[in-house]
Amino acid sequence: MISNRSIPRVTVIPVLAYPDANEAAAWLCKAFAYSIRLRVGTHRVQLNVGEGAVIVRELRPHEIGGPVGLGHSITVRVDDADAHCTRARAHGARITQEPSTHPYGERQYVAEDLAGHSWTFSQSVADVLPEDWGGTSEQLN
């Protein structure tokens, strides 16, 4: 694969639409501790998310007034779910699920951003075999 400085080097890049891409980028950086990688005009912003990336773009005219974030969620791994949740709440994120530890070894919380997108933040707290909590190992790396 050719390297291109104009796009993040990660394999999967979620793209989320907001009424104002620059306002959304600023809020996501404050609330979730992301950083801006680059801007494309005034309508698109690439964000660094740990070793990954998210792109925010402005809503297109035909999308305005429609459902935002319906049926999707983005999961981001963090070092400390409780501290991350506290920061997100302080910057206005609506916490829809408080931090809790699950049998599969993750402590997670769910937040809704300023446009209604759902974000799950996940902290690994134990290394658990999927079979130990009811999952099935198909192909683990």
Side-chain angles (χ1 to χ4, degrees):
M1 185 180 320
I2 295 175
S3 181
N4 178 359
R5 288 173 277 182
S6 294
I7 191 163
R9 293 188 51 112
V10 297
T11 303
V12 177
I13 307 167
V15 178
L16 300 174
Y18 294 86
D20 183 318
N22 288 295
E23 175 188 27
W27 188 90
L28 291 165
C29 289
K30 282 188 269 181
F32 299 154
Y34 301 160
S35 62
I36 294 175
R37 181 179 181 280
L38 84 93
R39 295 178 190 274
V40 179
T42 61
H43 66 282
R44 185 175 288 258
V45 182
Q46 294 180 10
L47 301 177
N48 297 307
V49 179
E51 294 181 24
V54 169
I55 295 174
V56 297
R57 68 167 176 82
E58 288 197 0
L59 286 167
R60 296 177 180 115
H62 70 278
E63 296 170 327
I64 296 172
V68 175
L70 187 61
H72 76 265
S73 174
I74 295 175
T75 298
V76 177
R77 296 185 71 197
V78 295
D79 290 327
D80 183 336
D82 295 282
H84 196 277
C85 182
T86 298
R87 177 191 179 119
R89 189 188 319 273
H91 288 283
R94 187 170 83 83
I95 307 304
T96 59
Q97 179 187 351
E98 293 293 330
S100 60
T101 302
H102 301 278
Y104 44 86
E106 294 295 304
R107 182 157 180 79
Q108 298 176 327
Y109 81 95
V110 181
E112 204 171 82
D113 71 17
L114 72 169
H117 296 290
S118 180
W119 296 79
T120 299
F121 295 94
S122 190
Q123 171 191 355
S124 295
V125 294
D127 183 14
V128 182
L129 277 172
E131 287 76 11
D132 290 348
W133 54 265
T136 303
S137 299
E138 295 288 330
Q139 182 180 359
L140 297 177
N141 295 331

